[in-house]
Amino acid sequence: MGRREGIGLVLLCASWLCALCHGGRTTLTPAVKASQSYPTLPVRAACLGGWLVTEGWIFPPLFGGIPNNDLLDGTQLQFKSALRKTYITADQGGAVTANKTQASTLETFKLWRINETTFNFRTAGSQFLGIGASDGIIVATATTPGLPETFQIIRSPFDKNRVRIKAANGYLVQAIATGEVIADYGEPTKWSDFDASVFLMTIVGKQLQGEYQLCNGYGTDKATPVLRKHWSTYVVEDDFKFLSSSGLTAVRIPVGWWIASDPNPPAPYVGGSLQVLDNAFKWAEKYKLGVIIDLHAAPGSQNPWEHSSSRDGTQEWGRTDDNIAQTVQVIDFLASRYAKSPSLFAVELMNEPHAPHASLESLTKYYRDGYNAVRKYSSTAYVVMSNRLSSGNPTELLQFASKYPGAVIDVHYYTMFNSMFDNFTVEQNIDFIKSNFSVELSAITTQNGPLSFVGEWVAEWKVPNATKEQYQTYAKAQMDAYGQATFGWSYWTVKNINNHWNLQWMINNGYISLKS
């Protein structure tokens, strides 16, 4: 423990007076907690996913108006010469060739979208394709794209995956007999396999549909009305009333780092979400719901998925001290803004950091500084620290978090994203909840340690043609298992185009009951 950290902890412990432990559950003394009468532990919460941080699978219509919406940032493409039957390849050392008949990682490029037809192509080695000389030879040496790394994709009017690629010099790209790739082709003829400028484009992998893709896909001007309409209609005051009357005691609200720069966030993000979060706090206060502010998307992206607002699936969070400091500033902003609200129940410092790129060293440094940022403004708000995904050690934060009064460890449990559950029966799924997830949760739920929180779970699985009664049993088994979490649990998510992911639908249709 460093000197600065140690001094901080002494002062923090004094401000908290002390922590009382009852049955493994840490609570604050009445003197400290008197200013907030709700909610009590453990919480039963709903995640307001897909609202202030975009996830296209939750509400696909958001992306419907984007031109060429299958070519968003991060889309992975392969290009095969229709004439040569070979793929454009970015080999080591910056050379770009077209002499391979099979495609793999080196033949796959990630899009950076400039507008609906103009792009940069990022290689597996994180360089960008570009014109390397006046003769039009294509190389991959630039680590930051500029005009020479800018290309236009021209799609055939008869087949959108039959394309030409125009370089910044005004010429079309072709693969020549020597295996070189060069932008020197003049006027095209037809869209046939005999035209050297024609490529067969293949989209591979899962497309990202996050905040970055939406905002950059539309462009800020067009994205602004789309998102502001979504924010004002997707979750409204009546939803808070519904959650409160249904037996929920808190909401977990995902936000992105750019909210701290509202109303003028950096491009391509859209301003206005901060006022929406202000409204959410007013509604939470009205209906006596606690709010868990969840930093779902950190600067640089803490995981490679769309919900961290990664531009192309690259995970860069935590690589520098400046990046960590920027993230702490976001927490400082949120804590200072909402510390006086009786509904501020917790601040989650980060959602789902992914190992190994998010190192334990960088994460604990950030969690220490983020915790201290919250404590500058609130002695009562809990501070949630999410476990790293794929670390292989669910208890790796236990010793660290135990130093901090009011700390909470967040774990997420799904059976949907692991192929091992593909052929599980109803009984096998439920047994796994009881014998695996429950045991793991017990390991982080200790007598004198941090509180435990199942911050995300869902009553959806891979069982085909399951009956309503089986879904009810599965949901109850999870609530029973996660009921041992000393901080509580939160369902993902309150609304979703997919019914079983939609907590409102599940409650209204009798799949889940929270009143007993």
Side-chain angles (χ1 to χ4, degrees):
M1 181 184 298
R3 184 166 179 256
R4 177 183 174 189
E5 181 179 329
I7 293 173
L9 282 174
V10 171
L11 294 174
L12 289 168
C13 288
S15 70
W16 276 55
L17 302 181
C18 63
L20 302 179
C21 295
H22 298 288
R25 182 172 300 149
T26 305
T27 58
L28 306 183
T29 62
V32 173
K33 202 61 179 175
S35 62
Q36 184 183 53
S37 58
Y38 57 90
T40 57
L41 292 178
V43 300
R44 296 186 294 186
C47 298
L48 307 188
W51 188 29
L52 301 185
V53 177
T54 301
E55 294 186 50
W57 71 280
I58 294 177
F59 192 63
L62 280 176
F63 288 80
I66 300 176
N68 277 343
N69 61 12
D70 59 340
L71 298 180
L72 300 175
D73 286 278
T75 300
Q76 299 181 69
L77 300 179
Q78 297 168 347
F79 297 99
K80 183 179 181 180
S81 169
L83 176 62
R84 307 292 176 191
K85 312 302 183 189
T86 54
Y87 288 89
I88 296 178
T89 301
D91 287 321
Q92 299 284 337
V96 176
T97 60
N99 50 27
K100 293 185 180 179
T101 57
Q102 299 292 325
S104 64
T105 303
L106 294 177
E107 290 73 48
T108 304
F109 306 96
K110 295 179 178 179
L111 288 183
W112 279 24
R113 182 173 170 128
I114 298 172
N115 58 44
E116 63 185 86
T117 60
T118 310
F119 308 87
N120 307 128
F121 300 128
R122 197 179 196 187
T123 72
S126 295
Q127 295 84 25
F128 292 87
L129 298 189
I131 302 174
S134 58
D135 57 6
I137 293 290
I138 304 298
V139 296
T141 55
T143 56
T144 301
L147 181 59
E149 288 73 44
T150 301
F151 297 88
Q152 183 180 6
I153 294 178
I154 304 169
R155 307 180 95 159
S156 164
F158 314 108
D159 179 357
K160 67 178 183 179
N161 292 321
R162 185 172 284 260
V163 303
R164 291 188 173 99
I165 304 169
K166 181 179 283 189
N169 63 1
Y171 287 97
L172 299 172
V173 173
Q174 66 165 322
I176 62 178
T178 60
E180 291 178 304
V181 179
I182 185 169
D184 67 346
Y185 199 84
E187 289 297 322
T189 54
K190 297 180 179 180
W191 287 97
S192 74
D193 288 355
F194 300 104
D195 188 314
S197 68
V198 174
F199 288 87
L200 308 179
M201 181 179 72
T202 302
I203 299 175
V204 298
K206 183 181 182 296
Q207 187 181 40
L208 297 175
Q209 287 192 329
E211 193 91 4
Y212 198 101
Q213 285 73 31
L214 186 143
C215 293
N216 204 40
Y218 279 109
T220 302
D221 289 345
K222 292 182 179 179
T224 297
V226 171
L227 277 176
R228 291 188 175 178
K229 179 181 178 181
H230 176 67
W231 295 335
S232 65
T233 58
Y234 191 66
V235 175
V236 296
E237 180 179 343
D238 278 351
D239 297 316
F240 282 70
K241 181 179 180 181
F242 170 83
L243 294 173
S244 178
S245 64
S246 298
L248 276 295
T249 60
V251 289
R252 178 174 178 257
I253 306 181
V255 299
W257 62 270
W258 52 90
I259 199 171
S261 301
D262 207 88
N264 299 302
Y269 297 106
V270 168
S273 61
L274 185 60
Q275 180 59 55
V276 182
L277 185 58
D278 288 347
N279 291 340
F281 266 89
K282 293 176 183 176
W283 299 335
E285 291 167 10
K286 181 175 181 179
Y287 297 105
K288 301 296 187 289
L289 292 169
V291 173
I292 303 161
I293 302 179
D294 158 39
L295 184 59
H296 218 66
S301 299
Q302 73 279 12
N303 61 51
W305 301 302
E306 62 192 23
H307 57 250
S308 71
S309 196
S310 175
R311 180 170 191 173
D312 66 3
T314 302
Q315 180 182 339
E316 297 179 343
W317 181 88
R319 292 186 178 182
T320 66
D321 288 344
D322 287 345
N323 174 254
I324 293 174
Q326 181 187 2
T327 318
V328 173
Q329 289 171 2
V330 176
I331 297 299
D332 188 282
F333 171 84
L334 292 168
S336 64
R337 188 173 185 89
Y338 299 110
K340 294 182 180 179
S341 170
S343 279
L344 179 63
F345 196 66
V347 177
E348 181 152 10
L349 300 179
M350 180 180 292
N351 175 71
E352 295 185 348
H354 192 262
H357 293 294
S359 69
L360 187 60
E361 179 183 7
S362 64
L363 193 65
T364 52
K365 171 181 171 56
Y366 166 62
Y367 281 169
R368 179 199 68 199
D369 294 348
Y371 178 93
N372 290 336
V374 175
R375 288 287 167 260
K376 283 169 56 179
Y377 306 101
S378 173
S379 62
T380 60
Y382 293 96
V383 181
V384 183
M385 304 174 182
S386 179
N387 260 4
R388 292 191 304 164
L389 298 185
S390 302
S391 72
N393 180 9
T395 64
E396 68 179 7
L397 289 176
L398 260 183
Q399 184 176 359
F400 169 82
S402 295
K403 305 173 188 177
Y404 300 95
V408 180
I409 292 180
D410 180 11
V411 292
H412 297 172
Y413 293 132
Y414 294 103
T415 64
M416 291 298 298
F417 307 118
N418 191 323
S419 60
M420 70 174 287
F421 296 98
D422 286 353
N423 299 308
F424 270 34
T425 65
V426 171
E427 292 74 18
Q428 286 173 322
N429 272 279
I430 293 173
D431 287 345
F432 195 93
I433 299 295
K434 295 178 178 178
S435 60
N436 291 75
F437 289 162
S438 183
V439 170
E440 180 180 304
L441 182 58
S442 295
I444 64 168
T445 307
T446 58
Q447 178 79 19
N448 297 312
L451 299 176
S452 57
F453 179 39
V454 181
E456 292 183 18
W457 68 278
V458 67
E460 181 60 296
W461 49 9
K462 297 183 178 182
V463 177
N465 303 315
T467 66
K468 179 177 180 178
E469 291 72 21
Q470 288 170 331
Y471 271 103
Q472 290 171 326
T473 302
Y474 183 55
K476 186 177 185 304
Q478 291 192 82
M479 288 189 287
D480 289 345
Y482 308 152
Q484 69 179 300
T486 46
F487 185 79
W489 54 252
S490 185
Y491 193 94
W492 187 271
T493 182
V494 66
K495 289 185 176 181
N496 197 303
I497 199 169
N498 306 283
N499 287 341
H500 300 122
W501 292 82
N502 182 328
L503 183 59
Q504 280 195 352
W505 187 92
M506 294 290 276
I507 292 173
N508 285 333
N509 288 276
Y511 284 74
I512 288 177
S513 176
L514 300 170
K515 293 186 177 181
S516 59

